[in-house]
Amino acid sequence: MQRRKLRGLRKKAVKKIWEKGHRRIGFLGLEKQIYNANISDRERGFIQALKDLGADYDAEQYIIRAKFNGDTVTESVKNFFAKIERLPSAIFCCVDTAVPFAVRALEEIGFSVPNDVSIVGFDGYINYTYFKMKVATSPQPLILMGEKAAEILLRHIKDENSKKEECILQVPFEDGESLASVK
């Protein structure tokens, strides 16, 4: 079972941000050489969702790339905000672990989350840690994913001629204090 098969989820998150009035949204992703299929799928979904919603800007110009560690996330966000002409009012982070570092970067350059820039994560881990706010995110149903993977594996052990299976799970969007409506 592939986690990237959680279809429509990234579009759902972007749509929720859009519904709060945000019309210029950034995507905090990873540098291309360290992308995996899940992150790549989230980025494509982000771009497609903005096209579907009728965004009047090139979403690819609002992609922030960082390595997978806090310091590079912080520096990448700061560099992006220093060079972009029209600032985003929200950032969709490809993983929750980037959220604290994006928030830190924004605060260091004088922005408040969510008053100036909203932040949305992806995967749900952030809200199981100590962080100063409840983050809007899309929690992956890890227990259900494991159960479904085990069921499929057991079927394939019992019958090695079983067909390949895909399992598409519904994943909710959880609103949080990090996502404000545009004033």
Side-chain angles (χ1 to χ4, degrees):
M1 180 174 56
Q2 298 177 8
R3 291 192 312 185
R4 71 187 186 103
K5 294 297 179 187
L6 302 172
R7 297 183 204 267
L9 180 56
R10 65 251 172 226
K11 290 182 180 179
K12 184 189 294 185
V14 174
K15 186 177 180 193
K16 292 289 187 180
I17 298 167
W18 189 270
E19 288 172 353
K20 295 274 190 169
H22 298 277
R23 294 299 180 265
R24 197 159 298 274
I25 305 165
F27 181 84
L28 178 53
L30 300 175
E31 291 181 354
K32 291 244 183 211
Q33 68 268 24
I34 56 175
Y35 260 37
N36 62 35
N38 294 330
I39 303 300
S40 181
D41 191 48
R42 291 171 200 167
E43 183 178 308
R44 283 192 309 274
F46 164 78
I47 293 166
Q48 187 59 52
L50 287 172
K51 286 179 184 174
D52 293 349
L53 291 165
D56 65 353
Y57 66 99
D58 181 2
E60 293 191 35
Q61 298 299 313
Y62 282 77
I63 294 174
I64 306 164
R65 299 205 185 281
K67 291 182 181 165
F68 203 71
N69 69 58
D71 291 337
T72 63
V73 169
T74 300
E75 287 309 307
S76 295
V77 170
K78 287 165 120 178
N79 291 339
F80 173 81
F81 272 75
K83 71 175 183 165
I84 196 77
E85 190 173 311
R86 295 188 63 199
L87 299 176
S89 61
I91 298 174
F92 176 37
C93 298
C94 69
V95 291
D96 277 359
T97 54
V99 169
F101 303 103
V103 170
R104 180 176 76 188
L106 291 167
E107 289 175 346
E108 286 178 5
I109 58 177
F111 291 101
S112 169
V113 175
N115 297 326
D116 300 317
V117 180
S118 287
I119 298 276
V120 173
F122 185 97
D123 63 33
Y125 301 133
I126 190 77
N127 291 327
Y128 294 105
T129 65
Y130 177 75
F131 190 61
K132 59 183 169 183
M133 68 183 76
K134 184 175 186 301
V135 175
T137 189
S138 298
Q140 295 187 63
L142 298 177
I143 293 171
L144 182 59
M145 289 167 66
E147 290 171 350
K148 293 292 182 184
E151 288 172 16
I152 292 169
L153 178 61
L154 289 174
R155 272 197 296 279
H156 285 268
I157 290 171
K158 289 179 183 176
D159 179 6
E160 60 187 48
N161 296 318
S162 294
K163 293 182 179 179
K164 180 181 174 183
E165 298 179 46
E166 274 189 28
C167 182
I168 300 171
L169 304 174
Q170 296 298 312
V171 179
F173 177 83
E174 289 183 1
D175 205 349
E177 299 163 0
S178 66
L179 177 60
S181 296
V182 174
K183 297 172 188 165

